[in-house]
Amino acid sequence: MLAGFAQFSGRLRARRPGLHRIIGRVYVASVGAAGLLALPLAGYMDDFSKATGFLALALAWLFTAWKGWRGAVRRDFDAHRIWMLRSFGITLVAVSGRLLVPVLLLTYGLLHGFTLPAGREGMVVAVLNANIWAGLVANLAVVEWVLLKPKRS
């Protein structure tokens, strides 16, 4: 995450492009290692929605980092920027998924008439099984909104 945050500094890119490249390589290598290691973990999850969410997250993470890296290698810096923003949005899914837990708990309550048919543990399990998808959808929506909003001149 630190490597990703550092990459969005315009000052760093302008004044120290070599450092930007090194940090970028560290970021892509980290995403590659973590994404590849995450793929087999999906097979060990006991809940189908959690497993598919984890698998989708890992594949999207690998794909967006690869596309961003390819953009830089091909010197297509517009594509590089767009795909790296998407990749970093996916990197932050674990954070946003945790931040969305209160919203998901409230949603669970609303959907069940504020009763707990499966008890408190069932509610927590249901929310934690959905938070990967919620974080992924929320982050990608925010990133696409940032990319599509008109630039102010």
Side-chain angles (χ1 to χ4, degrees), residues 4 8 27 31 56-69 78-93 135-148:
F8 294 105
Y27 173 80
V31 168
L57 178 64
L59 291 172
W61 205 19
L62 289 166
F63 179 73
T64 55
W66 174 74
K67 289 288 283 183
W69 174 77
D78 288 334
H80 168 68
R81 180 183 152 277
I82 288 167
W83 284 104
M84 282 304 173
L85 279 168
R86 289 175 177 144
S87 176
F88 194 61
I90 293 169
T91 298
L92 295 176
V93 163
L136 185 59
V137 169
N139 284 16
L140 290 178
V142 168
V143 168
E144 293 305 315
W145 176 75
V146 166
L147 291 173
L148 293 174

Side-chain angles (χ1 to χ4, degrees), residues 48-132:
F48 181 72
S49 68
K50 186 191 283 187
T52 56
F54 207 76
L55 187 61
L57 178 64
L59 291 172
W61 205 19
L62 289 166
F63 179 73
T64 55
W66 174 74
K67 289 288 283 183
W69 174 77
R70 293 261 306 173
V73 167
R74 292 181 173 185
R75 305 193 67 75
D76 182 355
F77 297 116
D78 288 334
H80 168 68
R81 180 183 152 277
I82 288 167
W83 284 104
M84 282 304 173
L85 279 168
R86 289 175 177 144
S87 176
F88 194 61
I90 293 169
T91 298
L92 295 176
V93 163
V95 175
S96 62
R98 299 312 183 278
L99 293 173
L100 287 170
V101 165
V103 174
L104 294 171
L105 288 169
L106 181 60
T107 303
Y108 181 93
L110 287 168
L111 292 173
H112 291 94
F114 291 102
T115 63
L116 301 177
R120 201 171 29 195
E121 289 85 17
M123 174 185 64
V124 170
V125 167
V127 164
L128 292 180
N129 288 340
N131 82 330
I132 294 171

